């Protein structure tokens, strides 16, 4: 009972287990293919002891291994996050084509700063090689200056505020070419935090010293939400 599966030109029966490569073991389940890695595929994010990890092939072995490479450029000024991210299901890199890739993308991490320009990170295999890579985007939850929580009377939280004036974003001595009227997350006077809830990513063009122009992905806030699940240092919010 159940539908067959087609993978890489081969037909597999419902319930049949197969190995498309030495790295994965897959099972056909009613027309859908589920795969588990046979290699240890923890994603090594940059940490203080290994700021530039990369995966290399080992001659004679199926599974790749992580090595620390000191030569790569740092993204966004050397931010280091000491963490391993476990991915339960991964893409099948049998060929360079992404047709057989089981796509996985994590949520964007929280902005690294509670005010002013920071950045957030996600991990995705949305590329031709189906390789898990780290992506970074700029973010600004609110400007740091002139931010006051609402008065005790009336509102306890200001959830989302829109900038009344068009502003230019600043990043590493660079200034955005265009002006924007971004939305920011407000503040609360009852101990809650306001953080982005619905966002989108746009490409922002920055003009830097000596006439250099760079493009960076940046988060724009659509809506914020106020909640009690605050970081330990709630003063920042």
């Amino acid at each position: 009972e159940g539908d067959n599966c087609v993978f890489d030109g081969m037909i597999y029966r419902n319930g049949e287990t197969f190995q498309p490569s030495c790295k994965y073991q897959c099972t056909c389940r009613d027309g859908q293919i589920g795969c588990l890695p046979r290699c240890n595929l923890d994603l090594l994010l940059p940490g203080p002891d290994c700021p530039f990890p990369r995966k290399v092939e080992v001659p004679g072995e199926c599974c790749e291994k992580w090595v620390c490479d000191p030569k790569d450029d740092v993204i966004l000024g050397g931010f280091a996050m000491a963490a391993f991210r476990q991915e339960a299901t991964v893409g099948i890199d049998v060929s360079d084509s992404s047709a057989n890739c089981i796509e996985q993308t994590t949520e964007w991490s929280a902005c690294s700063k509670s005010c002013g320009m920071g950045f957030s990170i996600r991990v995705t295999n949305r590329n031709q090689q189906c390789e898990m890579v780290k992506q970074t985007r700029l973010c600004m939850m609110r400007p740091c200056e002139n931010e006051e929580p609402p008065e005790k009377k009336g509102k306890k939280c200001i959830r989302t505020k829109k900038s009344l004036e068009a502003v230019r974003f600043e990043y590493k001595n660079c200034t955005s070419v265009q002006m924007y009227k971004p939305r920011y997350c407000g503040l609360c006077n009852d101990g809650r935090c306001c953080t982005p809830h619905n966002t989108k990513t746009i490409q922002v063009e920055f003009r830097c010293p000596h006439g250099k122009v760079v493009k960076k992905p940046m988060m724009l806030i659509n809506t914020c939400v106020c909640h009690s699940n605050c970081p330990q240092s709630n003063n920042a919010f």
Side-chain angles (χ1 to χ4, degrees):
E1 296 294 328
D3 291 337
N4 292 337
C5 303
V6 179
F7 180 82
D8 213 21
M10 298 286 290
I11 297 175
Y12 298 96
R13 295 188 304 276
N14 179 44
E16 187 175 353
T17 297
F18 61 98
Q19 289 183 13
S21 79
C22 63
K23 295 181 181 180
Y24 304 100
Q25 180 161 307
C26 302
T27 304
C28 173
R29 292 176 186 164
D30 195 21
Q32 301 293 317
I33 296 173
C35 300
L36 288 173
R38 302 182 73 234
C39 298
N40 179 13
L41 286 173
D42 286 348
L43 184 73
L44 183 62
L45 293 175
D49 299 329
C50 186
F52 312 112
R54 63 186 177 92
K55 211 159 47 168
V56 296
E57 292 185 1
V58 181
E61 292 188 22
C62 172
C63 300
E64 296 170 319
K65 292 190 177 177
W66 286 101
V67 297
C68 293
D69 190 349
K71 296 175 184 176
D72 290 353
D73 293 332
V74 190
I75 300 174
L76 283 173
F79 171 73
M81 185 162 67
F84 290 83
R85 184 168 200 102
Q86 297 234 347
E87 297 295 334
T89 313
V90 294
I92 305 164
D93 55 353
V94 184
S95 65
D96 288 338
S97 169
S98 59
N100 292 324
C101 183
I102 301 169
E103 185 180 301
Q104 291 200 53
T105 303
T106 66
E107 295 292 327
W108 286 104
S109 67
C111 196
S112 61
K113 291 190 177 178
S114 59
C115 73
M117 189 67 78
F119 53 92
S120 60
I121 289 173
R122 74 176 179 182
V123 177
T124 182
N125 65 349
R126 194 182 296 163
N127 53 60
Q128 278 294 109
Q129 291 74 34
C130 197
E131 282 285 316
M132 297 301 287
V133 295
K134 185 180 73 170
Q135 292 180 336
T136 309
R137 70 175 179 177
L138 300 172
C139 53
M140 184 185 288
M141 284 172 53
R142 59 182 69 83
C144 290
E145 65 278 355
N146 302 325
E147 284 296 296
E148 295 290 332
E151 294 182 9
K152 294 284 184 185
K153 291 184 289 183
K155 274 197 168 185
K156 292 182 178 179
C157 284
I158 299 174
R159 193 167 60 183
T160 310
K161 295 173 65 176
K162 185 165 185 177
S163 177
L164 299 176
E165 297 178 357
V167 297
R168 294 187 194 273
F169 296 124
E170 293 188 0
Y171 150 76
K172 276 190 169 182
N173 297 325
C174 304
T175 306
S176 65
V177 175
Q178 292 187 30
M179 299 185 78
Y180 300 86
K181 278 192 174 181
R183 289 186 178 90
Y184 300 123
C185 293
L187 296 170
C188 301
N189 61 17
D190 60 357
R192 285 186 290 168
C193 319
C194 283
T195 54
H197 175 63
N198 183 276
T199 68
K200 65 180 178 180
T201 304
I202 63 167
Q203 292 290 329
V204 177
E205 205 169 62
F206 290 90
R207 184 170 285 115
C208 303
H210 311 298
K212 186 181 177 185
V213 175
V214 295
K215 274 188 177 179
K216 292 285 178 184
M218 182 168 178
M219 175 191 81
L220 281 191
I221 295 171
N222 291 324
T223 59
C224 300
V225 64
C226 299
H227 54 87
S228 299
N229 185 23
C230 302
Q232 301 249 325
S233 55
N234 188 26
N235 294 342
F237 288 85

